[in-house]
């Protein structure tokens, strides 16, 4: 699979990671070599095989739907980059 | 006074109980060792309360109120959150992150009486096989400081191998316990997926990540693992099954073994030293009375491509939480919200982490999902099936841990070549099976490991087999 600059820009935007123009061509080479290795998968016929998303068949230990004291806003906001009166601050979103 | 740091965990527990030495003395011994071996860069941070913890343990021992690992100084991979202590995951993104809560693994070991010496260095977000992707610098292999200790849990492996702690915790997503254990000449076990709680263990690929142990030998590993395993209601993927007494099981004479040899995989080993070592190790097992049987593990050769779709896909989702808003690194003067996200993540993550997020995002994006992600999940099922077929005939499977001995720092630049480091370790993660690596000899002074993979929840059987091997060899003491 060839990765065009357009595809790279698209995944950069989807993953919200800014990519430096200077490294784009090297990065494309690396991503292409990884995808080439990954495409070995095409050698095997998987028709009729169920996808496996998880190693455990019974992984559904949901806890009781009861309020806990896990969420401690003041404590958790102590290490946030910027907060004000219990809110997380970001640059203005709506003009 | 004898070198306390060289004693095994079992010997240390006995020494503390019989008051041959105190936990303070033992802890001081290790702190001195850590200082002497600073150049290895094994630790990201030290616990300033280590000696206070040791004092508390000594008081409990004096009152005969000690817990199972009372007073034993250990190290934690810096992926396990510890309340009010820095937890960086080897990343600039979390350089200043002080965790507001503790992981279950830490809590369990703490209530077992261990003394926390500090947090060990690791590949950034556990993504790497050499410990060279850490924001805090590479860790050096104590056997040859020009070489890597393996990764991602390279700091923990080095800390155990260089006698900087009694045992250490680690995590294994594609080989991150077993490969560094092999490179550093120690024992490392990755339990069954779900055996050890992932609560408070920073997520990389949630269907593959599993916490485990680095120790000097299989009996030490068994004892340590006993203390971290078990159901945890805080982890929805935790297995609700009783934990057997691994230590007793490891020593038991009643455990039966039929070890499977995956013929094609062994035939295809490229490095002659690794191949010869495999057969020499097999001879040791045979001499100790273990039965062996050739098996066919179909489709295992697809493990690497499957892993490099599934792990990046899960990582791209898990690492979306680092947004520069709630915690972690934030860029200077963002001009709008997108700029805040895009620059905070570009600056906070290292190159390998970004590469994997991009690959994962690509494999999950519209138009490519079926061809990559769904395809990988289907092959994952076939790989699991191959293991299940094999376990109808054998109790465990033996393979090399790595394709080679430790390599020189900065010697592998190609990403795929680096990923191939995990070729023998990844299959166990894809299926969620327990696996252990133990030392099996040296090539030009550099250690090699062999790996045993077991059926679900059969950690005890693997530890027993490993102990049997170690009773009939001395590689773990060299």
């Amino acid at each position: 699979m060839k990765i065009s600059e357009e595809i790279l820009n698209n995944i950069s935007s989807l993953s919200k990671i800014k990519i430096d123009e200077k490294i784009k061509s090297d990065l494309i080479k690396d991503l292409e070599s990884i995808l080439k290795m990954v495409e070995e998968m095409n050698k095997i016929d998987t028709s009729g095989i169920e996808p496996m998303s998880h190693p455990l068949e019974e992984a559904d230990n949901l806890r009781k739907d009861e309020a806990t004291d896990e969420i401690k806003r003041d404590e958790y906001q102590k290490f946030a980059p910027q907060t004000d009166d219990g809110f997380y601050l970001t640059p203005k979103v709506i003009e | 006074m004898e070198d306390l740091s060289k004693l095994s965990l079992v010997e240390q527990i006995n020494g503390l109980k019989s008051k041959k030495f105190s936990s303070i003395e033992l802890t001081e011994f290790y702190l001195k060792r850590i200082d002497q071996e600073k150049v290895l860069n094994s630790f990201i941070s030290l616990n300033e309360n280590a000696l206070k913890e040791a004092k508390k343990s000594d008081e409990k021992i004096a009152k005969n109120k000690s817990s199972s690992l009372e007073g034993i100084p250990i190290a934690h991979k810096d992926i396990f959150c510890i309340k009010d202590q820095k937890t960086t995951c080897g990343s600039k993104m979390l350089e200043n992150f002080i965790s507001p809560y503790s992981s279950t693994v830490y809590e369990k070991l703490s209530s077992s009486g261990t003394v926390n010496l500090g947090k060990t260095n690791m590949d950034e977000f556990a993504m790497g096989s050499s410990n060279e992707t850490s924001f805090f610098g590479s860790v050096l292999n104590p056997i040859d400081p020009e070489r890597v200790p393996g990764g991602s849990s390279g700091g923990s492996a080095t800390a155990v191998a260089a006698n900087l702690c009694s045992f250490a915790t680690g995590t294994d997503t594609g080989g991150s316990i077993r490969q560094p254990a092999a490179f550093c000449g120690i024992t490392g076990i990755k339990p069954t997926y779900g055996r050890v709680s992932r609560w408070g263990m920073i997520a990389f690929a949630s269907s593959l990540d599993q916490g485990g142990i680095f120790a000097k030998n299989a009996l030490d590993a068994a004892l340590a693992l006993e203390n971290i395993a078990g159901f945890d209601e805080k982890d929805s993927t935790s297995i609700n099954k009783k934990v057997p007494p691994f230590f007793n099981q490891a020593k038991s004479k009643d455990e039966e073994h039929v070890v499977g040899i995956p013929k094609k995989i062994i035939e295809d080993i490229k490095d002659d030293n690794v191949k010869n070592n495999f057969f020499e190790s097999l001879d040791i097992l045979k001499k100790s009375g273990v039965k062996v049987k050739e098996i066919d593990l179909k489709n295992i050769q697809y493990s690497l491509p499957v892993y490099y779709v599934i792990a990046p896909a899960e990582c791209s989702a898990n690492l979306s939480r680092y947004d520069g808003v709630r915690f972690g690194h934030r860029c200077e003067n963002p001009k709008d919200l997108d700029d805040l996200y895009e620059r905070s993540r570009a600056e906070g993550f290292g190159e390998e982490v970004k590469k994997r997020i991009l690959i994962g995002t690509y494999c999950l994006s519209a138009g490519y999902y079926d061809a990559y992600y769904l395809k990988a999940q289907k092959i994952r099922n076939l790989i699991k099936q191959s293991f299940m077929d094999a376990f109808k005939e054998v109790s465990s499977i033996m393979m090399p841990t790595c394709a080679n001995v430790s390599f020189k720092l900065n010697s592998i630049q190609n990403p795929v070549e680096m990923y191939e480091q995990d070729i023998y370790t990844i299959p166990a993660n894809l299926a969620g099976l327990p696996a252990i690596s133990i030392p099996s000899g040296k090539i030009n002074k550099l250690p090699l490991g062999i790996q045993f993979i077991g059926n679900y929840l059969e950690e005890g059987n693997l530890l027993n087999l490993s102990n049997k091997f170690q009773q009939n060899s001395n590689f773990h003491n060299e």
Side-chain angles (χ1 to χ4, degrees):
Chain A
M1 180 73 198
K2 284 270 169 234
I3 300 269
S4 63
E5 196 166 329
E6 193 190 340
I7 292 178
L8 183 65
N9 290 341
N10 181 40
I11 52 176
S12 151
S13 155
L14 286 172
S15 56
K16 299 278 180 239
I17 293 176
K18 195 176 175 65
I19 299 170
D20 195 334
E21 288 295 329
K22 283 182 278 182
I23 65 157
K24 277 190 178 170
S25 65
D26 281 349
L27 185 58
I28 284 176
K29 261 186 233 157
D30 277 357
L31 296 181
E32 283 178 348
S33 74
I34 297 167
L35 287 176
K36 191 177 161 212
M37 178 270 283
V38 159
E39 278 155 13
E40 280 287 300
M41 293 194 308
N42 295 332
K43 289 185 181 161
I44 181 171
D45 179 12
T46 50
S47 42
I49 307 294
E50 282 293 309
M52 169 183 164
S53 58
H54 207 268
L56 302 177
E57 275 151 26
E58 336 150 20
D60 56 351
N61 305 309
L62 300 181
R63 69 168 174 85
K64 283 196 186 109
D65 187 16
E66 285 167 356
T68 67
D69 61 353
E70 290 295 338
I71 297 171
K72 301 166 183 138
R73 191 180 66 184
D74 293 345
E75 207 178 306
Y76 287 15
Q77 287 197 337
K78 270 196 291 197
F79 44 81
Q82 223 185 340
T83 58
D84 185 21
D85 198 22
F87 293 98
Y88 292 97
L89 293 192
T90 68
K92 208 177 208 179
V93 180
I94 303 164
E95 289 298 331
Chain B
M1 194 180 220
E2 64 179 318
D3 186 349
L4 302 179
S5 69
K6 286 193 175 149
L7 301 176
S8 73
L9 171 60
V10 176
E11 289 166 335
Q12 287 177 345
I13 291 173
N14 292 336
L16 286 166
K17 268 194 191 148
S18 62
K19 303 195 178 63
K20 258 173 81 183
F21 46 84
S22 68
S23 175
I24 288 191
E25 283 170 320
L26 192 55
T27 304
E28 278 173 343
F29 230 103
Y30 280 125
L31 290 173
K32 201 173 140 199
R33 286 282 311 141
I34 292 169
D35 192 52
Q36 283 167 346
E37 298 290 349
K38 254 188 195 157
V39 65
L40 297 175
N41 202 19
S42 306
F43 284 81
I44 289 177
S45 58
L46 292 177
N47 174 23
E48 53 193 32
N49 294 318
L51 285 169
K52 276 188 202 155
E53 290 180 20
K55 188 167 175 261
K56 268 191 199 162
S57 284
D58 282 336
E59 286 163 8
K60 282 191 187 164
I61 293 169
K63 289 178 194 160
N64 279 328
K65 283 187 175 167
S66 47
S67 302
S68 53
L69 300 173
E70 197 68 59
I72 297 294
I74 65 162
H76 289 282
K77 184 178 184 180
D78 203 13
I79 198 167
F80 291 101
C81 288
I82 302 184
K83 189 172 162 48
D84 298 330
Q85 286 185 33
K86 219 197 234 188
T87 300
T88 70
C89 221
S91 181
K92 181 181 177 184
M93 184 60 88
L94 295 176
E95 190 182 2
N96 299 309
F97 177 68
I98 310 281
S99 179
Y101 72 109
S102 288
S103 55
T104 297
V105 164
Y106 170 79
E107 290 284 5
K108 274 179 162 277
L109 283 171
S110 179
S111 60
S112 298
T114 62
V115 171
N116 168 27
L117 292 166
K119 313 286 291 287
T120 58
N121 204 341
M122 56 181 284
D123 277 303
E124 185 180 10
F125 285 104
M127 296 175 206
S129 307
S130 65
N131 222 118
E132 292 169 301
T133 75
S134 168
F135 175 67
F136 302 93
S138 302
V139 177
L140 311 183
N141 191 316
I143 296 143
D144 176 354
E146 288 184 4
R147 290 174 189 268
V148 304
S152 66
S153 316
S156 285
T158 302
V160 172
N163 298 318
L164 311 184
C165 61
S166 180
F167 68 87
T169 58
T171 61
D172 191 314
T173 304
S176 284
I177 289 177
R178 289 160 287 154
Q179 185 248 20
F183 277 12
C184 293
I186 57 170
T187 298
I189 183 163
K190 175 202 99 73
T192 308
Y193 178 89
R195 184 64 113 173
V196 170
S197 168
R198 291 185 298 113
W199 171 260
M201 187 178 107
I202 296 176
F204 157 18
S206 303
S207 80
L208 301 158
D209 295 343
Q210 180 60 199
I213 294 291
F214 289 96
K216 288 196 175 81
N217 58 52
L219 288 180
D220 284 6
L223 195 50
L225 185 63
E226 229 175 82
N227 282 275
I228 62 167
F231 176 65
D232 180 10
E233 62 175 15
K234 289 175 175 165
D235 174 0
S236 65
T237 58
S238 169
I239 297 175
N240 198 350
K241 291 262 162 68
K242 202 170 170 277
V243 177
F246 292 136
F247 183 70
N248 289 339
Q249 209 179 338
K251 288 194 299 184
S252 165
K253 291 198 166 61
D254 303 329
E255 206 71 26
E256 287 182 9
H257 301 282
V258 182
V259 176
I261 309 301
K263 197 166 166 254
K264 178 87 174 62
I265 295 174
I266 304 308
E267 273 172 12
D268 289 348
I269 296 174
K270 286 183 194 148
D271 186 320
D272 284 343
N273 287 325
V274 174
K275 199 183 246 181
N276 292 340
N277 182 269
F278 178 86
F279 286 110
E280 286 160 19
S281 307
L282 191 58
D283 279 344
I284 293 172
L285 274 187
K286 281 180 184 166
K287 275 179 198 152
S288 66
V290 169
K291 284 183 208 144
V292 300
K293 188 172 185 182
E294 279 187 354
I295 54 164
D296 185 17
L297 270 182
K298 282 192 200 113
N299 301 319
I300 291 293
Q301 70 273 31
Y302 295 106
S303 296
L304 194 67
V306 166
Y307 179 86
Y308 276 96
V309 172
I310 290 173
E314 293 185 11
C315 122
S316 74
N318 270 326
L319 272 64
S320 64
R321 75 192 64 183
Y322 305 104
D323 56 5
V325 175
R326 290 158 301 164
F327 59 101
H329 177 77
R330 179 179 209 160
C331 67
E332 297 275 345
N333 305 317
K335 66 175 194 299
D336 56 32
L337 192 59
D338 268 342
D339 186 44
L340 166 69
Y341 292 148
E342 289 177 357
R343 278 200 296 127
S344 297
R345 288 163 65 78
E347 293 167 8
F349 293 137
E351 297 311 313
E352 182 58 32
V353 171
K354 283 190 266 196
K355 215 174 279 171
R356 296 206 197 185
I357 293 175
L358 292 170
I359 284 284
T361 304
Y362 176 77
C363 293
L364 292 174
S365 63
Y368 301 107
Y369 181 91
D370 286 6
Y372 291 101
Y373 190 62
L374 208 59
K375 178 88 183 176
Q377 285 190 315
K378 287 178 180 177
I379 305 177
R380 186 179 187 182
N381 200 355
L382 292 173
I383 290 168
K384 178 185 171 175
Q385 206 46 59
S386 295
F387 276 114
M388 292 303 97
D389 290 344
F391 286 127
K392 285 175 192 156
E393 300 177 60
V394 297
S395 56
S396 57
I397 296 165
M398 179 171 160
M399 275 192 228
T401 310
C402 307
N404 43 261
V405 292
S406 165
F407 48 91
K408 290 210 166 163
L409 286 152
N410 304 313
S411 65
I412 299 183
Q413 300 300 333
N414 177 312
V416 175
E417 203 185 321
M418 186 65 91
Y419 298 168
E420 283 169 352
Q421 282 297 313
D422 295 331
I423 199 155
Y424 298 123
T425 48
I426 282 173
N429 298 82
L430 289 174
L433 297 166
I436 187 167
S437 174
I438 57 172
S440 60
K442 285 181 178 169
I443 306 296
N444 298 328
K445 294 184 185 163
L446 299 168
L448 277 173
I450 49 159
Q451 176 185 213
F452 301 123
I453 302 171
N455 205 344
Y456 293 106
L457 303 173
E458 291 292 344
E459 294 85 0
N461 181 272
L462 294 183
L463 288 158
N464 182 278
L465 183 64
S466 304
N467 184 41
K468 214 166 231 161
F469 184 89
Q470 291 180 339
Q471 282 177 332
N472 290 285
S473 65
N474 201 35
F475 306 120
H476 57 293
N477 291 324
E478 285 172 1

